[in-house]
Amino acid sequence: KNEVEQSPQNLTAQEGEFITINCSYSVGISALHWLQQHPGGGIVSLFMLSSGKKKHGRLIATINIQEKHSSLHITASHPRDSAVYICAVEDTDKLIFGTGTRLQVFP
Amino acid sequence: DSGVTQTPKHLITATGQRVTLRCSPRSGDLSVYWYQQSLDQGLQFLIQYYNGEERAKGNILERFSAQQFPDLHSELNLSSLELGDSALYFCASSAQTLGELFFGEGSRLTVL
């Protein structure tokens, strides 16, 4: 079993839909990262959080430390949100990555 | 633009060869991380340097080595290359040991 599990693996949506991507982990962590990888390969850090909730534009990330679970929400999705979203947890001094969720948003 | 520069962007080489990948972190960032992304393994942490010292090691093969120089740029050396080493190699930097990460655009290595 992977230490970091993401669901779903693939997600398609119509423009404007509300999207949720989930991340569960089995190790003790100090923080959790949400990353976005564009089709060209570049990776952008979206959020780093260790408790509660963070919001940036149309993106919201939440984490429940007790349940070892985090969610990434995208409101009013847009085709430019199409990317792979990767959850990664900080375990001591290293990051452990989930396998990613591939999101496609159609107009 | 993340401020992290990786060179080369693309590299094609043959099995048995040695290559060096270079990373310049964001100005002021002390930590540099190397990651490998292959089709079958996803993203894997290789190694971290903080202010010139090795800080943490992940799934880095003995054929691979890295260092961080006094000017904080880092190099990842891959030797005795095998077909399975073909992957995207990312460098990231952060101000301290972990924290918000800033990724370079990656170096795509193809071993033929």
Side-chain angles (χ1 to χ4, degrees), chain A residues 36-44 79-85 101-105, chain B residues 37 88 90 105 108:
Chain A
Q36 180 192 53
Q37 186 167 26
H38 297 287
I43 297 176
V44 174
R80 66 174 174 265
D81 297 326
S82 298
V84 176
Y85 292 83
T101 294
R102 184 175 301 274
L103 171 65
Q104 285 187 295
V105 182
Chain B
Q37 186 178 39
L88 257 174
F90 286 101
E105 293 186 356
R108 185 175 295 277

Side-chain angles (χ1 to χ4, degrees), chain B residues 12-111:
Chain B
I12 302 174
T13 189
T15 54
Q17 295 297 304
R18 172 190 166 95
V19 299
T20 297
L21 309 179
R22 182 188 167 100
C23 171
S24 294
R26 269 189 344 149
S27 177
D29 282 358
L30 299 177
S31 281
V32 170
Y33 313 80
W34 286 98
Y35 301 98
Q36 180 194 56
Q37 186 178 39
S38 56
L39 279 175
D40 57 342
Q41 296 271 9
L43 269 165
Q44 302 235 349
F45 167 68
L46 294 178
I47 198 163
Q48 179 202 355
Y49 281 85
Y50 176 77
N51 203 21
E53 300 288 327
E54 183 184 302
R55 171 85 182 188
K57 228 171 186 177
N59 301 321
I60 187 165
L61 299 172
E62 283 190 16
R63 299 183 286 108
F64 297 179
S65 65
Q67 53 185 324
Q68 187 179 27
F69 295 88
D71 67 352
L72 300 178
H73 92 271
S74 178
E75 293 181 355
L76 179 67
N77 301 296
L78 315 175
S79 61
S80 303
L81 286 168
E82 302 175 359
L83 296 177
D85 298 327
S86 296
L88 257 174
Y89 291 84
F90 286 101
C91 165
S93 73
S94 67
Q96 297 295 329
T97 54
L98 283 174
E100 186 178 4
L101 293 172
F102 297 87
F103 284 81
E105 293 186 356
S107 293
R108 185 175 295 277
L109 172 67
T110 303
V111 182

